[in-house]
Amino acid sequence: MSSPSSAPGRSSRALAITLTLGAASAILYLLLFLFADRLNELAAATRDGEKLYALIPLAVAMVFSFVHGAFTGHFWDLLGLRAKK
Amino acid sequence: MENIQFIDLNLVSVLILFVVGFVGGMVSGFIGSGGAFVLTPAMMSMGVPGMVAVASNMAHKFPKALVGAHKRNKYGQVDIKLGLVMGLFAEFGVLFGKHIMVGIKESFGAAGTNLYVSFVFVVVLAIVGGMVLRDAIRERRGERIGTQSAGPSKLVQRVRRIIIPGTMVHLKSVDARVSFLVIAPLGFATGLLAATIAVGGFIGVPAMMYILGLPAIMASATELVVAFVMGLGGSLFYALEGYVDIRLSMIILAGSLFGIQIGAIGTTYVKDHVVKFVMAAIMLLVLVSRFFYIPGYLSELGSIPALAPATIGWLDGIGQAALVFALLFGGVMILQALYQGIREHRAATLLAPAPQVIPVAAVAGGPQLSPLGRFERFLVASDGSDFSAAAVREAIGLARRCGAEVHLMSLIATGVEYEAMGTSILKQEIAIAQAHLDEIRGQAVAAGVRCETHLIQGSNVHQEICDLAEQLNVDLIVMGRRGRRGLARMMLGHATAQVIGLAHCSVLVVPRAAHIEARRLLLATDGSRFAEAAAITAGSLARACGAPMTVLSVTTESHGPERRALAEQVVARVLAHLRGEGIAADGQVLQGEPSECVIGLAREREVDLIVTGSHGRTGLERALLGSTSERILNATPCAVLVTKAG
C-alpha cells in the first residue's frame, strides 16, 4: 500500500499552489483594469515618438502569460481534468 | 494618417473578449494550430481595427511559444539552430508584412488594412480548410494519409542536393546540410503571413516537414522557436508603432489559457477525423464570416459603387452571425466530444477487470516487508535519449541481479505547447514512444526480467514519475542524468533533482557513461537517520550483487576532535552491521569538503555505485543550502543511489 499521508498532503499542497497562483493572476488583472487608461495613453505616447514605452506591453505579456499560464495548468489538474492515459 | 482608436472596454466587451479567448483557446488546443485565425476576425467583428487585432494577437502568443519551446526542447524535439535561422528570416517577413500594413493604412485608412487582412484570411482559410476537410473525409473512409514515408521525399532530396558554398547549415533534426538560402524564403513567408493574420504556422510547419524533411513532431516543436522569435520581434515592431492594445491581448489570454487545456485534453478522447472535421468546419465558417465583410470595406474605399448603410449593416450582421456560429459550433463540438469521451472512457474503465495486484518477483529469502533495502520493483523513466538509455541498461542489469521486476515509463508532454501540436502529431509521438517502450521491454524480457510499460501524458515530469511510483509502490526509481550543472540546472528545475526531492522511495541516478558491475559500493554516511537508512539499503544491495563495500564518513576542518571521534564510531557501527550481514566491508574517515572526498575516494577505489541518504529537501531551501548528495550527483561519473529514510 502506498503511504496514506502522501495523497492528502500532495493535494493540499496543489490546492495551496493553485490558490496562490490564482490570487497572483487576479491581482495582475485587477491592476490591468485599474491602469487600462494609462496603458492606452502609453500606446498613444509610443505613436507620438516615445518608443521606449513599446517595451511595456511586451513585459506585461510575458508576466501575465507565465503567471496565468501556471495558474490555469494547476487549475484543471486540480479539478481532475486530465488527458486520457 | 488616420488615428488608431482602441475600443472602449466595458463589462460586456470584457466578457465577450474572455469568452472569445476561451473558445479560441479551446479550438487552438483541439486542432493544434494557433487560434488567431478565430481570434483576429472575432476582434475585428467587435470593431477592433485589423492591424490592432493582428498586433494584439501576436503579443499574447510569443510568451506561450517560449514556454512550449522550452518544454519540448527538454524532450530533444527542437532544432534550435533551424528555429533561430528560420525565426531570423521570419523577422524580415514580419517587418515586410508590417510595412505593407502600415503602407496600406497610410494610403487607404483602416478600411484598407481590414480589407487586406480579410482577403488574406479568405484565401488562406480556403486553401488550408479545404485541405483539412479532404484529409478528414479520407481518414473517415479509412484511407491512410501518408505524411511520413520511409525515406526523404523527392522534393526533400532535391533540396538537400542544393550545395552553395558558404551558405550550408547542418541541421541536427535531419542530420543533413541545407543551404540557408533555402531556409530564408520559408522563414520569410512564415513571418509575412504571421504579420498579416497572426498565424504563421500554416506555412512554417508544412514547409519544415515537406521541404526540409523534418519529422512532424520536430517541425511542430521547432515552429515554437520560430513563433517565439517572430512573435517577439513582430510584437515589438507593432508596439513601436503603438498598435498593441495590451488590454485586449491580456483578456483574450485569460480566456485562451483556460481553453487550450480543455481543447488539448479533448483530443485525447476523440478520433483524428473528428478533430479534422471540427477544424475544417470552423475554418470554413470563419472564411464565410470574413467574406461578408469584404463588400463593406470595398464600398468604404470606393472600389465598388457605394452600398446603402442598411445593406452594409445586413452584410456585417451575416458576417458576425457566421462568426458567432463558428465559435459556438467549435465550443459545443469540443465540449461534447470531451464529455462523451470521458463518459465512454469511465464506462470502459468500470467494465474492465479490476487491476491485478502485481506479484512480487521471487527474491532469495522471500518478500521483505520493510521498504528499507527492498529491491523488488523498479520504475525506470525513459525519454528515448542517450541519457536515459544508460538508466534503462543499468536498471535491467540491476533487476536481473536482484530478481526485481521493472516498470518502464515514458512521458508525452502536454500543456500550452499543444497550441502548435496537432492531434495527429501527438498520436505519432505516442506511437513512437510506445514503440520505444516495447523495444526496451523486449530487451528486458530477453535478459530474463519481467517488465511492464506505462505511457503517460502530463505536463509535470517529476510529478508524473512520483505519482506512478506511488501507484505502483516501487522500491526504486531509476533515472538518467542530464549534463546540466550548477546554476543552469537549478534554474531549469532538473527533473531528476525534483524526483529525488519528492519521491518516497530511493532514486538511482545513472550518468550516461556509468556501468554498475558491482565491483565495489561506496556508502557515504554522516550518522544521521537518513544515512542509517542508506546503510541498510546499501547493505541489501551489496548482498544481492555480491559486491564489497567501503563506508566513508567525512569531517571538515572546522570540526573538532569530538566530531572526528563520532565519525569513527559511526563508521565502526555501520561496518559491524554490514559484516554481520556477511558483506565484505572496510571503512574510512576523511577530512575535507564532503562531496569532493566522496568522489575522490570513489575514483581511487574504482567504485561503480555511490550510496547516500537524502534529507528530502525541495524548493528554496534545497536551492540555497545545496546538499552533499546533490553535489555528488552533479560531479561524479558513476551511478549514485539516493536513499530515503521512508
Side-chain angles (χ1 to χ4, degrees):
Chain A
M1 245 178 89
S2 61
S3 160
S5 63
S6 60
R10 192 165 293 167
S11 69
S12 62
R13 188 167 174 267
L15 180 67
I17 293 173
T18 311
L19 288 177
T20 310
L21 287 169
S25 184
I27 290 168
L28 285 178
Y29 275 97
L30 187 69
L31 290 173
L32 181 80
F33 290 121
L34 283 177
F35 291 98
D37 292 340
R38 185 85 187 106
L39 288 169
N40 276 358
E41 288 164 21
L42 288 177
T46 316
R47 284 195 285 272
D48 293 338
E50 296 286 347
K51 298 299 180 192
L52 261 183
Y53 289 153
L55 296 176
I56 291 174
L58 304 190
V60 169
M62 294 287 274
V63 173
F64 274 63
S65 186
F66 292 142
V67 175
H68 189 60
F71 165 59
T72 51
H74 282 86
F75 177 79
W76 288 126
D77 224 31
L78 197 69
L79 291 188
L81 191 71
R82 308 192 82 190
K84 185 177 166 186
K85 307 232 168 176
Chain B
M1 178 178 156
E2 189 187 344
N3 266 332
I4 279 287
Q5 197 67 45
F6 288 170
I7 61 165
D8 285 330
L9 286 182
N10 53 41
L11 188 63
V12 175
S13 58
V14 168
L15 280 176
I16 291 175
L17 279 168
F18 182 84
V19 173
V20 164
F22 178 71
V23 178
M26 222 159 47
V27 170
S28 300
F30 195 70
I31 65 181
S33 166
F37 76 87
V38 179
L39 299 176
T40 309
M43 286 159 89
M44 288 172 72
S45 297
M46 289 176 70
V48 178
M51 206 148 128
V52 176
V54 170
S56 305
N57 264 320
M58 280 189 126
H60 71 75
K61 284 182 68 182
F62 77 87
K64 287 189 276 186
L66 175 66
V67 174
H70 167 60
K71 278 191 183 175
R72 294 184 65 185
N73 187 42
K74 287 197 281 193
Y75 295 90
Q77 294 171 351
V78 178
D79 187 333
I80 295 178
K81 195 196 289 176
L82 174 62
L84 291 177
V85 172
M86 241 178 118
L88 178 73
F89 287 103
E91 213 67 85
F92 290 114
V94 170
L95 202 58
F96 185 64
K98 191 213 76 174
H99 271 295
I100 293 177
M101 291 273 255
V102 173
I104 291 174
K105 182 166 177 311
E106 284 176 351
S107 306
F108 302 101
T113 53
N114 286 347
L115 176 66
Y116 173 58
V117 171
S118 300
F119 177 74
V120 175
F121 255 117
V122 168
V123 173
V124 171
L125 290 178
I127 295 169
V128 181
M131 284 166 70
V132 174
L133 185 64
R134 189 194 59 182
D135 276 1
I137 293 169
R138 285 170 62 188
E139 270 185 35
R140 196 178 180 187
R141 284 186 194 145
E143 291 174 33
R144 188 177 163 79
I145 301 169
T147 52
Q148 301 284 301
S149 54
S153 68
K154 279 184 184 167
L155 178 60
V156 171
Q157 287 175 18
R158 204 170 299 159
V159 164
R160 290 186 192 166
R161 277 200 294 269
I162 300 172
I163 295 169
I164 305 167
T167 68
M168 304 307 285
V169 182
H170 180 262
L171 302 180
K172 69 155 193 177
S173 48
V174 289
D175 194 22
R177 285 165 67 78
V178 176
S179 168
F180 77 78
L181 295 177
V182 172
I183 302 170
L186 306 180
F188 186 84
T190 306
L192 183 59
L193 193 66
T196 311
I197 59 173
V199 191
F202 282 162
I203 291 183
V205 177
M208 280 189 264
M209 284 169 63
Y210 301 119
I211 299 176
L212 300 179
L214 262 75
I217 296 162
M218 291 197 87
S220 72
T222 305
E223 167 63 18
L224 288 165
V225 178
V226 182
F228 168 67
V229 174
M230 72 179 175
L232 181 64
S235 301
L236 184 64
F237 296 147
Y238 278 120
L240 284 168
E241 305 284 342
Y243 291 132
V244 175
D245 188 343
I246 197 67
R247 305 165 311 153
L248 299 190
S249 301
M250 294 303 98
I251 298 167
I252 292 267
L253 178 83
S256 80
L257 282 174
F258 276 111
I260 286 171
Q261 304 241 4
I262 292 191
I265 292 166
T267 59
T268 63
Y269 290 95
V270 293
K271 290 194 172 75
D272 260 8
H273 71 263
V274 175
V275 177
K276 285 187 175 162
F277 268 121
V278 173
M279 181 175 178
I282 297 171
M283 283 181 172
L284 297 175
L285 280 167
V286 173
L287 180 158
V288 169
S289 160
R290 271 298 99 198
F291 182 76
F292 279 98
Y293 282 96
I294 289 178
Y297 299 142
L298 287 171
S299 165
E300 206 178 316
L301 290 167
S303 303
I304 58 169
L307 295 173
T311 312
I312 293 177
W314 267 102
L315 290 170
D316 286 0
I318 297 172
Q320 269 176 351
L323 187 74
V324 170
F325 183 67
L327 290 172
L328 282 176
F329 173 80
V332 170
M333 284 295 288
I334 294 165
L335 288 175
Q336 196 225 346
L338 183 64
Y339 173 73
Q340 201 176 329
I342 289 176
R343 218 177 51 172
E344 283 171 8
H345 181 63
R346 282 197 183 147
T349 312
L350 282 175
L351 285 173
Q356 291 177 338
V357 175
I358 304 159
V360 168
V363 182
Q368 179 188 323
L369 287 179
S370 165
L372 275 186
R374 188 173 63 192
F375 289 100
E376 293 164 359
R377 195 170 292 152
F378 298 173
L379 174 64
V380 192
S382 170
D383 60 3
S385 67
D386 289 350
F387 298 101
S388 62
V392 169
R393 182 189 64 227
E394 295 311 314
I396 293 173
L398 201 58
R400 204 178 53 209
R401 284 197 185 98
C402 301
E405 64 187 32
V406 169
H407 289 261
L408 188 65
M409 79 167 278
S410 197
L411 186 110
I412 306 286
T414 58
V416 286
E417 64 272 25
Y418 256 110
E419 203 175 16
M421 190 175 179
T423 176
S424 55
I425 291 174
L426 179 72
K427 283 178 182 169
Q428 263 187 44
E429 192 176 354
I430 290 171
I432 291 169
Q434 189 58 55
H436 167 69
L437 289 178
D438 291 344
E439 189 188 330
I440 299 174
R441 182 169 52 188
Q443 292 169 14
V445 171
V449 173
R450 185 182 160 166
C451 181
E452 289 194 18
T453 61
H454 307 266
L455 191 56
I456 308 287
Q457 286 183 49
S459 56
N460 205 334
V461 181
H462 65 277
Q463 191 68 62
E464 297 292 346
I465 292 172
C466 292
D467 284 350
L468 188 63
E470 287 275 300
Q471 196 186 324
L472 296 170
N473 195 21
V474 301
D475 307 308
L476 181 69
I477 297 172
V478 187
M479 294 183 78
R481 188 190 77 188
R482 293 269 169 188
R484 296 182 183 123
R485 290 183 185 178
L487 190 64
R489 183 196 56 75
M490 189 178 82
M491 289 176 70
L492 291 168
H494 192 298
T496 307
Q498 286 169 314
V499 167
I500 293 169
L502 269 182
H504 290 109
C505 62
S506 300
V507 181
L508 176 64
V509 182
V510 185
R512 190 157 48 169
H515 287 275
I516 305 173
E517 291 163 358
R519 287 191 303 266
R520 178 170 288 276
L521 273 61
L522 173 62
L523 170 69
T525 178
D526 60 2
S528 66
R529 70 185 184 91
F530 306 102
E532 303 274 282
I536 296 172
T537 303
S540 171
L541 194 60
R543 207 173 51 240
C545 300
M549 190 174 347
T550 297
V551 180
L552 170 67
S553 190
V554 184
T555 58
T556 62
E557 284 178 16
S558 61
H559 291 154
E562 283 175 17
R563 183 65 187 265
R564 190 172 168 81
L566 189 68
E568 300 275 5
Q569 283 172 22
V570 165
V571 170
R573 194 168 72 235
V574 174
L575 283 176
H577 163 75
L578 294 173
R579 285 170 185 156
E581 296 279 316
I583 298 160
D586 61 302
Q588 281 202 30
V589 175
L590 296 176
Q591 191 178 52
E593 200 284 317
S595 61
E596 284 174 12
C597 288
V598 171
I599 295 163
L601 188 66
R603 200 182 306 119
E604 187 188 312
R605 304 293 304 268
E606 294 186 341
V607 163
D608 51 6
L609 179 64
I610 297 172
V611 184
T612 171
S614 167
H615 291 235
R617 294 186 185 113
T618 54
L620 189 63
E621 191 188 1
R622 178 178 59 75
L624 289 175
L625 294 176
S627 73
T628 302
S629 301
E630 277 200 65
R631 282 194 289 272
I632 295 170
L633 277 166
N634 276 327
T636 184
C638 68
V640 179
L641 175 65
V642 183
T643 65
K644 289 295 185 82

